[in-house]
Amino acid sequence: MANPTSFSLAVFLLYIIGSTARPIYPIPSEDDYEIRQPLQTFRPYNIAHRGSNGEIPEETRPAYLRAIEEGADFIETDILSSKDGVLICFHDFILDNITDVAKYKKFEKRKRTYEVERVNMTGFFTVDFTLEELKSLRVHHRYSFRDPQYNGKFQIITFEEYISIALDAHRVVGIYPEIKNPVFINQHVKWPNGKRFEDVFVETLQKYGYKGSYLSKEWLKQPAFIQSFAPTSLIYVSNQTDLPKVFLIDDVTVRTQDTNQSYWEITSDKYLNYIKNYVVGIGPWKDTIVPVANNYLEKPTDLVTRAHAHNLQVHPYTYRNENEYLPFNFSQDPYKEYDYWINKIGVDGLFTDFTGSLHNFQEWTSNDKTESKILHKIAHLVSPYA
């Protein structure tokens, strides 16, 4: 129940603000941020995993626009590079799985075999195609059971195009880009003046005004999290930007691409105490937090509790509505899964393929959303005078 005192104060402040003779408009020299709905910070973040890719093929412009329409707080992407050094939004190192590259006779001799994370992989690699060539391809759904009507209609986008989608939104929408396997990219793509993949990545963010520590005024204006599975990259970019960083965590049996440590070691208290100097949170595979056997949840680990004890946020991945991804405990109901992870496990953000479902769940179940929204509106209204 709302606290009567705080609620009365909220109403009073709204009255005062509404009665002042000074109009609440941004001064001409400012951009339109002040009149855009700000990022919500009072509940776990709704992170659109590769856009609303449960509906529209992943990491395409329409997938991100749909996620924003559905209420995403952040739109997430994976950053790789073309042969000519242009940063692109694409998850796989090879184009085979979700593009029509195989149908082009002119590309048939581009197939290569490279070692990626200690495993030989064969296919059409992004690093062997120029941006112009990548733009000629069309993307389709990763999973055949998803709506096929959009398959083959949309192209790969660049990092800069992705940023523009967020900045052009009618409200403040954060970005959540991943430095995707920098070890491999730095081996196969070279930039002038000895620059590394990470350098170009950060320069792109800075070009578009992304800066500021977590929850600072600068950050709230253009929110961004930088994520990576490579701890050395996160440490490297920490010397270039104060934007908040999130360390991604895979299954505990997997080893990191750069330091060759197991994620079992990396989830230890000793390592969390070390990495907290560089990151604001961790992004674990959700089965690392709550193991699953025979499609039933097992006893949760203490990873969330320990991360919170180190003042680290926890943003697990990936939540999907389809029955094959829902443990039997949830009776094929994605809302029950969201309830479990938010209200029992206590996570701080969720990577989801179905942004609209998570947004609806949070809107329908937030007990304090009325008061929180009023106070959030007050903060937004008074921000020009801060």
Side-chain angles (χ1 to χ4, degrees):
M1 180 179 292
N3 182 295
T5 302
S6 60
F7 183 79
S8 299
L9 175 60
V11 173
F12 174 74
L13 287 173
L14 279 176
Y15 173 77
I16 294 298
I17 293 169
S19 301
T20 182
R22 182 178 177 182
I24 304 176
Y25 300 118
I27 59 177
S29 62
E30 295 179 349
D31 60 25
D32 66 351
Y33 165 74
E34 301 295 357
I35 60 174
R36 297 163 74 199
Q37 179 185 343
L39 177 75
Q40 72 79 22
T41 56
F42 62 90
R43 66 188 184 193
Y45 292 127
N46 183 338
I47 306 163
H49 181 241
R50 309 179 201 168
S52 186
N53 87 89
E55 301 175 65
I56 300 174
E58 63 187 57
E59 308 201 25
T60 59
R61 178 179 176 82
Y64 289 121
L65 292 174
R66 178 62 172 156
I68 293 170
E69 176 188 0
E70 291 179 326
D73 298 316
F74 288 84
I75 53 174
E76 186 265 354
T77 195
D78 306 274
I79 302 300
L80 290 173
S81 178
S82 66
K83 180 180 181 179
D84 46 347
V86 180
L87 302 191
I88 61 169
C89 297
F90 204 74
H91 176 270
D92 299 354
F93 300 101
I94 58 173
L95 299 161
D96 309 48
N97 296 329
I98 65 165
T99 78
D100 57 358
V101 65
K103 82 175 188 181
Y104 293 92
K105 186 175 179 62
K106 63 181 179 179
F107 295 143
E108 63 183 9
K109 294 183 179 180
R110 297 286 184 90
K111 187 167 284 194
R112 301 284 188 274
T113 298
Y114 294 131
E115 181 181 320
V116 182
E117 296 186 38
R118 297 173 291 276
V119 175
N120 285 335
M121 182 182 294
T122 299
F124 297 98
F125 285 78
T126 66
V127 294
D128 292 322
F129 289 74
T130 65
L131 177 64
E132 182 179 3
E133 291 170 334
L134 292 172
K135 284 285 191 180
S136 72
L137 307 178
R138 292 299 177 266
V139 180
H140 56 75
H141 271 301
R142 181 173 299 275
Y143 303 113
S144 61
F145 48 77
R146 290 184 171 170
D147 189 350
Q149 69 172 306
Y150 302 111
N151 286 344
K153 293 186 176 180
F154 309 124
Q155 64 179 197
I156 294 170
I157 64 173
T158 67
F159 189 16
E160 293 191 69
E161 288 171 328
Y162 156 83
I163 288 173
S164 295
I165 293 169
L167 293 180
D168 289 342
H170 66 282
R171 57 186 173 83
V172 176
V173 174
I175 61 172
Y176 209 128
E178 177 186 344
I179 304 173
K180 192 75 176 177
N181 204 320
V183 175
F184 177 81
I185 296 299
N186 281 319
Q187 287 173 343
H188 294 275
V189 182
K190 302 301 178 184
W191 285 272
N193 304 317
K195 289 183 180 178
R196 292 170 44 167
F197 176 31
E198 295 93 333
D199 297 321
V200 181
F201 177 92
V202 172
E203 286 173 1
T204 304
L205 291 171
Q206 293 172 336
K207 174 182 176 181
Y208 287 90
Y210 285 93
K211 58 185 176 180
S213 58
Y214 181 59
L215 294 182
S216 66
K217 184 176 181 180
E218 291 175 323
W219 186 85
L220 287 170
K221 182 177 180 179
Q222 291 183 205
F225 286 108
I226 296 173
Q227 57 173 334
S228 184
F229 284 100
T232 56
S233 283
L234 292 174
I235 294 170
Y236 181 82
V237 300
S238 292
N239 295 319
Q240 299 174 308
T241 176
D242 57 353
L243 286 169
K245 298 147 199 81
V246 173
F247 181 35
L248 299 175
I249 294 174
D250 208 329
D251 182 272
V252 293
T253 62
V254 174
R255 307 190 77 80
T256 65
Q257 58 192 253
D258 52 345
T259 63
N260 201 32
Q261 296 168 285
S262 73
Y263 284 100
W264 179 262
E265 176 185 349
I266 273 175
T267 56
S268 67
D269 276 321
K270 181 179 180 181
Y271 196 85
L272 292 178
N273 190 55
Y274 161 73
I275 201 67
K276 73 179 183 182
N277 296 311
Y278 303 98
V279 304
V280 300
I282 58 173
W285 179 40
K286 61 181 181 153
D287 287 20
T288 303
I289 299 172
V290 184
V292 176
N294 299 316
N295 208 35
Y296 284 97
L297 299 179
E298 296 191 319
K299 181 180 179 181
T301 68
D302 63 353
L303 180 57
V304 173
T305 300
R306 291 190 294 107
H308 285 167
H310 289 282
N311 199 31
L312 292 169
Q313 292 192 40
V314 182
H315 301 171
Y317 65 90
T318 304
Y319 297 86
R320 299 182 170 105
N321 286 12
E322 290 99 352
N323 290 345
E324 47 263 71
Y325 295 110
L326 288 169
F328 292 137
N329 309 67
F330 302 126
S331 306
Q332 309 301 305
D333 185 347
Y335 295 114
K336 287 186 177 180
E337 182 177 38
Y338 290 137
D339 179 62
Y340 173 81
W341 282 92
I342 292 173
N343 296 315
K344 183 172 182 178
I345 301 300
V347 299
D348 308 289
L350 302 89
F351 288 85
T352 177
D353 285 2
F354 293 88
T355 314
S357 293
L358 176 54
H359 180 74
N360 289 339
F361 172 80
Q362 290 185 297
E363 286 290 291
W364 295 337
T365 60
S366 181
N367 293 327
D368 63 344
K369 69 176 183 179
T370 301
E371 181 179 355
S372 296
K373 282 187 174 181
I374 290 175
L375 294 175
H376 202 53
K377 184 176 182 180
I378 291 171
H380 172 53
L381 291 172
V382 302
S383 61
Y385 310 103

